[in-house]
Amino acid sequence: MNKALEQTEQAREETARKVDWRRRISDHVAYGLLIYTGLHIFLTMTQLKSGNGSLLPYLALVVLVAAIIPACRWFEMRWSDLPDAKAHDPALAPVFRREVALMWLAVFGLPVLLTLGFKAAAPLF
């Protein structure tokens, strides 16, 4: 019985050592930036093809560089500064999932919101 409990405890410790929150957040940020950029460019290009001659779609691309990349970097820095002991702590899983969900919501939501906002503002210019 003790041997089975020891093996179970060892399996938990190995699993905990395999999870590195610092590496996982870096992966999420990298993929998130790729998807955000692709989606944002796709939505902006549809606005440019409409032929209204506005500079607003270009301004939307500047917003990408000026706001989104530093925001994603902030997400990553919160986790990359963890000490080694906490970087493998399974107790951080709920916090990690919440922050990653928030980041992915921004990745998919912001390009759509920016495009709709600039499209609504285009008649004013």
Short mmCIF file of all heavy atoms in Angstrom, two decimals, residues 18 23 30 69 76 114 122:
data_model
loop_
_atom_site.label_atom_id
_atom_site.label_comp_id
_atom_site.label_asym_id
_atom_site.label_seq_id
_atom_site.Cartn_x
_atom_site.Cartn_y
_atom_site.Cartn_z
N LYS A 18 6.78 19.05 -15.01
CA LYS A 18 6.65 19.20 -16.46
C LYS A 18 5.95 20.50 -16.84
O LYS A 18 6.22 21.06 -17.89
CB LYS A 18 5.88 18.02 -17.04
CG LYS A 18 6.65 16.73 -17.02
CD LYS A 18 5.82 15.61 -17.59
CE LYS A 18 6.53 14.28 -17.45
NZ LYS A 18 5.70 13.17 -17.93
N ARG A 23 6.92 29.04 -19.81
CA ARG A 23 6.99 28.59 -21.21
C ARG A 23 5.61 28.57 -21.85
O ARG A 23 5.44 28.96 -23.00
CB ARG A 23 7.61 27.20 -21.27
CG ARG A 23 7.67 26.66 -22.70
CD ARG A 23 8.37 25.38 -22.75
NE ARG A 23 9.78 25.67 -22.59
CZ ARG A 23 10.74 24.84 -22.91
NH1 ARG A 23 10.45 23.67 -23.39
NH2 ARG A 23 11.99 25.16 -22.75
N ALA A 30 2.82 34.13 -28.25
CA ALA A 30 3.32 34.07 -29.62
C ALA A 30 2.20 33.70 -30.60
O ALA A 30 2.02 34.36 -31.64
CB ALA A 30 4.46 33.06 -29.71
N ILE A 69 1.01 44.78 -28.85
CA ILE A 69 2.26 44.09 -28.54
C ILE A 69 2.71 44.38 -27.10
O ILE A 69 3.05 43.44 -26.37
CB ILE A 69 3.34 44.41 -29.58
CG1 ILE A 69 2.93 43.78 -30.91
CG2 ILE A 69 4.71 43.92 -29.13
CD1 ILE A 69 3.81 44.13 -32.07
N GLU A 76 2.98 38.31 -20.65
CA GLU A 76 4.11 37.38 -20.58
C GLU A 76 5.04 37.70 -19.42
O GLU A 76 5.51 36.80 -18.74
CB GLU A 76 4.88 37.41 -21.90
CG GLU A 76 5.96 36.38 -21.99
CD GLU A 76 6.65 36.38 -23.33
OE1 GLU A 76 6.53 37.38 -24.07
OE2 GLU A 76 7.32 35.39 -23.62
N LEU A 114 -11.93 47.02 -33.28
CA LEU A 114 -11.20 48.10 -33.93
C LEU A 114 -11.71 48.36 -35.34
O LEU A 114 -11.90 49.51 -35.75
CB LEU A 114 -9.70 47.78 -33.98
CG LEU A 114 -8.92 47.98 -32.70
CD1 LEU A 114 -7.50 47.44 -32.86
CD2 LEU A 114 -8.88 49.44 -32.32
N ALA A 122 -15.22 56.37 -40.06
CA ALA A 122 -14.80 56.74 -41.41
C ALA A 122 -15.67 57.85 -42.02
O ALA A 122 -15.11 58.77 -42.64
CB ALA A 122 -14.79 55.51 -42.31
#
